[in-house]
């Protein structure tokens, strides 16, 4: 299909005309004769049944209403990535499942409502909620000096009914940065490597401070063979398999011994950094056409 097809690129009230990077995808689809609308996920007037496919792109305000968002995803007839993936991937407790499957992750302690956190004696630690996007409610602390602040952060999250996750701060983010391995379907429909980028450190200041997303530095990067191998291992253990995925982003960082370690597996609404790789938007547009 192509002409006469309709695709919704799903966004939020903060990005009514989409995140800038997704303009490339919108334009690539329109060049292929597809009618494309940017539609808020919570728009009560939206007729999702009118679209051949709804593609999640920038619905980043869902984190305060995750239950509502998951229920919405289940109501959309044709959604990419699909609702079962959204349900699993929008709570970072999925990391414990990946760890149990043998995937190297950053050591993570989860503290839920009603639970008490016993902080370590020292070291540098990151506290964040398990449901979050864009580093919201995320902070870096140096213990023991900032113990009171870190403890208050955990308590603030759990008192609000949220689950906190505490991880050691890996210094490699300040030097090597993060590697994001971006995957989209190839010509056969199989999810495969598309392109890679390097992300600079975001938590450049210790303490509970607002993260400046506009300061994030993104550059193209070719992932190492070890990073590509780990990304493939991560995708191989996604519940339900990867055949139904339209995109995936695997975020990695060197661990203390230098080998790649998983930070996050982004399957719901990741930035895909299409501007940083020639042909990436066209590849994704072709993959969408193959599904409608």
């Amino acid at each position: 299909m192509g002409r006469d097809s309709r695709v919704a690129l799903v966004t939020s009230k903060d990005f009514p005309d989409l995140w800038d990077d997704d303009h490339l995808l919108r334009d690539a689809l329109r060049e292929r004769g597809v009618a494309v609308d940017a539609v808020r996920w919570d728009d009560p007037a939206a007729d999702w049944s009118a679209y051949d496919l709804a593609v999640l792109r920038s619905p980043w305000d869902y984190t305060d209403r995750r239950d509502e968002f998951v229920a919405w995803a289940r109501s959309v007839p044709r959604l990419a990535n699909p609702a079962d993936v959204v349900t699993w991937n929008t709570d970072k407790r999925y990391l414990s499942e990946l760890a149990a499957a043998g995937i190297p992750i950053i050591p993570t302690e989860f503290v839920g409502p009603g639970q008490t956190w016993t902080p370590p004696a020292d070291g540098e630690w990151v506290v964040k909620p398990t449901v979050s996007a864009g580093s919201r409610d995320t902070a870096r602390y140096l213990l023991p000096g900032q113990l009171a602040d870190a403890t208050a952060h955990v308590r603030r999250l759990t008192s609000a009914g949220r689950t906190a996750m505490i991880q050691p701060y890996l210094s490699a983010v300040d030097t090597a940065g993060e590697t994001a391995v971006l995957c989209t379907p190839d010509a056969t429909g199989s999810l495969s490597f598309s392109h890679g980028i390097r992300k600079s450190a975001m938590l450049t200041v210790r303490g509970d401070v607002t993260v400046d997303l506009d300061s994030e530095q993104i550059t193209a990067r070719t992932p190492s063979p070890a990073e590509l191998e780990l990304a493939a291992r991560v995708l191989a253990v996604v519940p339900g398999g990867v055949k139904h995925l339209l995109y995936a982003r695997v975020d990695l960082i060197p661990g203390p011994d230098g080998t790649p370690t998983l930070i996050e597996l982004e399957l719901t609404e990741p930035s895909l950094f299409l501007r940083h790789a020639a042909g990436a938007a066209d590849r994704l547009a072709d993959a969408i056409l193959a599904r409608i």
Side-chain angles (χ1 to χ4, degrees):
M1 297 180 68
R3 297 193 182 279
D4 300 325
S5 297
R6 295 187 68 194
V7 168
L9 298 182
V10 182
T11 185
S12 58
K13 60 180 176 59
D14 296 325
F15 303 96
D17 193 36
L18 303 172
W19 182 250
D20 290 350
D21 194 62
D22 289 316
H23 291 172
L24 289 179
L25 175 60
R26 175 200 63 194
D27 295 345
L29 286 167
R30 288 176 175 170
E31 288 169 2
R32 288 157 172 77
V34 178
V36 182
D37 297 325
V39 189
R40 282 178 24 220
W41 70 271
D42 57 353
D43 182 352
D47 179 8
W48 300 105
S49 66
Y51 293 99
D52 296 288
L53 192 65
V55 181
L56 287 163
R57 293 312 317 126
S58 47
W60 295 323
D61 60 355
Y62 78 87
T63 56
D64 295 328
R65 296 180 287 162
R66 177 179 176 265
D67 289 347
E68 181 182 343
F69 182 67
V70 167
W72 164 81
R74 289 172 176 157
S75 75
V76 179
R78 293 170 292 278
L79 182 68
N81 284 333
D84 59 336
V85 172
V86 170
T87 303
W88 180 75
N89 190 239
T90 48
D91 188 319
K92 293 180 180 63
R93 282 177 287 188
Y94 69 78
L95 287 169
S96 61
E97 295 182 37
L98 296 182
I103 300 300
I105 70 166
I106 300 174
T108 304
E109 180 179 358
F110 297 97
V111 181
Q115 297 178 324
T116 301
W117 177 46
T118 302
D122 54 23
E124 200 157 12
W125 301 85
V126 173
V127 176
K128 56 187 174 182
T130 59
V131 179
S132 181
S135 297
R136 290 180 60 191
D137 299 316
T138 298
R140 165 187 175 190
Y141 299 99
L142 182 63
L143 305 187
Q146 294 179 310
L147 174 60
D149 292 336
T151 302
H153 189 165
V154 173
R155 187 180 301 118
R156 187 166 61 251
L157 292 173
T158 58
S159 296
R162 307 169 78 183
T163 297
M165 52 191 294
I166 301 96
Q167 299 174 316
Y169 183 80
L170 299 185
S171 60
V173 72
D174 298 319
T175 53
E178 299 178 19
T179 297
V181 179
L182 286 305
C183 300
T184 55
D186 59 21
T188 70
S190 298
L191 201 67
S192 62
F193 172 67
S194 170
H195 58 288
I197 59 97
R198 177 191 185 275
K199 298 173 65 179
S200 63
M202 292 293 296
L203 300 176
T204 56
V205 179
R206 297 188 183 101
D208 190 4
V209 296
T210 300
V211 176
D212 181 10
L213 294 178
D214 291 332
S215 69
E216 186 176 35
Q217 297 179 5
I218 305 296
T219 54
R221 167 178 277 178
T222 300
S224 69
E227 289 170 331
L228 291 174
E229 188 271 338
L230 178 55
R233 285 176 55 201
V234 171
L235 293 173
V237 295
V238 171
V242 297
K243 288 291 187 181
H244 57 325
L245 298 182
L246 179 64
Y247 49 79
R249 195 181 93 195
V250 186
D251 292 343
L252 307 172
I253 190 172
D257 63 355
T259 60
T261 300
L262 179 69
I263 303 173
E264 291 184 43
L265 171 60
E266 298 268 15
L267 302 179
T268 302
E269 29 58 53
S271 296
L272 296 176
F273 307 113
L274 301 175
R275 295 184 181 278
H276 294 271
D282 290 314
R283 288 192 291 274
L284 184 54
D286 287 338
I288 290 171
L289 280 178
R291 296 195 174 204
I292 61 178

